[in-house]
Amino acid sequence: MAVDASNALLCWYAVDKRRLPWRAEAGERPDPYRVWLSEIMLQQTTVAHARPYFETFLRRWPTVDALAAAPDGEVMAAWAGLGYYARARNLLACARTVAEQHGGRFPDEESALRLLPGIGAYTSAAIAAIAFGRRAVAVDANVERIVSRLFAVEEALPASRRRIEQLAEGLTPLKDAGDFTQAMMDLGQTVCTPRRPDCRRCPLTAHCAAFAEGDPGRYPVRAPKRARPRREGIAYWLEHEGKVLLVRRPKRGLLGGMLALPTGDAPAEAAWAEAGAVDHVFTHFALNMRLLCATTKARSEGMWWPVERIGEAGLPTLFAKLAERGAQWREAS
Ligand code: SF4
């Protein structure tokens, strides 16, 4: 089954593959920098959302050496809106490691890639396969879903992960591992989707146990989820003569290294007014952040940003939403 299924998938991919800016066209050599950049951006992010960011990064920093030489603040601001900001910090750390320790060339072995900042098991395997044609087995949520359906894996995730990896390993062809990896991505994102797999368009129906059973949406079986904890916080919109106080968040921790509105203790004595709250969901918790607004006559030390150019500050999504509330408060007061 494994050889037939992977052949069927590769034939489908040869005809139906998506044209994406980080993919090499037929006959072109893949560019490891593009492959790496796209893989980092696509972690927890859809293709449609990541695509304009990828194009902007490539225009501004066309090589890993150019990215390595970029100031931290510019890269963090360009990343704003993609979320999961530890990825941006690791992106820079990785670019600098490749530039300084590998002469600007990514290592071509999965094990060496794994040692670079921000590159885990999936990403190292994906880069090794796609950029360098190595036979590596990259298992992400798409692959978990497809494999658990193909083999009707009854054991629940996450406990079934090892079994799924073994099954994925058996499916991976000796040649064309890069195309196979990308074909699995395309299949998982466009055909074998989480809720309603479009089995009529799938090249693997003849090999799929879940399809034969008649209810593929039942897979992957999952252990019941624990509720996400909820946290509360306060942010401050402090204005002075058309400028608002911003702070750079500490490098470590939530949204580390990003520009933001002050949080925690009030940045000044002022007549603070409530301006509503914003809900935002992070991976491990949900946050409800209240916004307090005030104007001040005394301008303290700090970064005072022109309110009408707040959109250029590169605020992460939570603080961009809070800044919208600050602007509404301003108009109303
Ligand atoms: Fe997924 Fe359906 Fe294809 Fe099976 S036949 S792999 S469930 S799309």
Side-chain angles (χ1 to χ4, degrees):
M1 157 176 170
V3 173
D4 291 348
S6 58
N7 280 343
L9 186 66
L10 287 168
C11 288
W12 171 81
Y13 181 72
V15 177
D16 278 354
K17 75 172 176 181
R18 292 177 293 175
R19 296 262 171 297
L20 297 172
W22 45 85
R23 277 192 179 161
E25 292 294 326
E28 271 180 10
R29 281 170 75 92
D31 174 357
Y33 173 60
R34 288 178 179 226
V35 174
W36 163 74
L37 186 58
S38 67
E39 286 299 332
I40 303 298
M41 287 186 170
L42 288 169
Q43 291 167 3
Q44 320 276 353
T45 305
T46 64
V47 166
H49 190 57
R51 188 177 187 139
Y53 286 88
F54 176 86
E55 285 164 347
T56 300
F57 266 68
L58 208 67
R59 202 166 48 246
R60 290 182 68 177
W61 302 295
T63 62
V64 71
D65 290 319
L67 182 61
D72 290 31
E74 282 186 24
V75 174
M76 298 306 282
W79 189 274
L82 264 178
Y84 301 94
Y85 293 92
R87 283 187 297 164
R89 292 191 294 279
N90 279 329
L91 185 88
L92 261 177
C94 182
R96 287 171 185 161
T97 306
V98 171
E100 287 159 19
Q101 295 177 21
H102 298 272
R105 296 163 74 93
F106 281 86
D108 62 2
E109 295 274 358
E110 191 179 343
S111 54
L113 286 160
R114 184 78 197 266
L115 298 177
L116 294 170
I119 298 191
Y122 171 79
T123 308
S124 57
I127 298 171
I130 299 168
F132 300 109
R134 302 271 178 195
R135 185 175 182 274
V137 185
V139 180
D140 68 350
N142 287 308
V143 175
E144 280 177 358
R145 186 167 61 254
I146 296 167
V147 169
S148 60
R149 287 174 178 170
L150 279 176
F151 296 91
V153 175
E154 288 294 345
E155 192 183 357
L157 279 169
S160 57
R161 214 155 258 156
R162 184 75 202 109
R163 167 98 183 108
I164 289 174
E165 276 170 19
Q166 288 166 345
L167 293 168
E169 211 278 332
L171 281 174
T172 306
L174 292 175
K175 267 180 63 200
D176 300 322
D179 280 356
F180 179 80
T181 302
Q182 294 177 96
M184 290 292 263
M185 288 177 190
D186 280 12
L187 192 77
Q189 286 168 15
T190 64
V191 178
C192 196
T193 50
R195 293 224 175 89
R196 282 202 206 107
D198 190 358
C199 300
R200 286 164 313 161
R201 285 176 52 223
C202 181
L204 301 180
T205 44
H207 310 280
C208 182
F211 176 75
E213 284 178 1
D215 186 14
R218 194 165 86 72
Y219 299 95
V221 180
R222 289 185 192 280
K225 267 194 184 168
R226 275 185 295 164
R228 209 182 239 128
R230 187 178 159 82
R231 293 191 197 161
E232 316 249 307
I234 302 178
Y236 300 90
W237 176 275
L238 183 62
E239 229 182 285
H240 173 78
E241 295 181 355
K243 295 187 173 167
V244 62
L245 181 63
L246 297 184
V247 293
R248 173 102 34 213
R249 293 182 64 83
K251 278 208 163 169
R252 297 201 174 273
L254 187 70
L255 306 175
M258 301 295 293
L259 274 186
L261 297 174
T263 56
D265 293 334
E269 293 263 335
W272 293 104
E274 289 274 357
V278 161
D279 286 309
H280 194 77
V281 177
F282 292 97
T283 316
H284 299 297
F285 64 95
L287 181 65
N288 177 265
M289 187 78 108
R290 281 165 59 211
L291 182 68
L292 300 185
C293 299
T295 51
T296 178
K297 290 207 174 83
R299 177 170 151 165
S300 58
E301 284 294 305
M303 190 181 314
W304 291 87
W305 195 279
V307 173
E308 69 272 14
R309 288 185 28 230
I310 194 72
E312 298 163 31
L315 298 178
T317 306
L318 166 67
F319 287 98
K321 288 193 232 169
L322 287 161
E324 270 175 36
R325 292 218 164 238
Q328 285 163 6
W329 167 81
R330 194 167 192 257
E331 274 173 28
S333 59

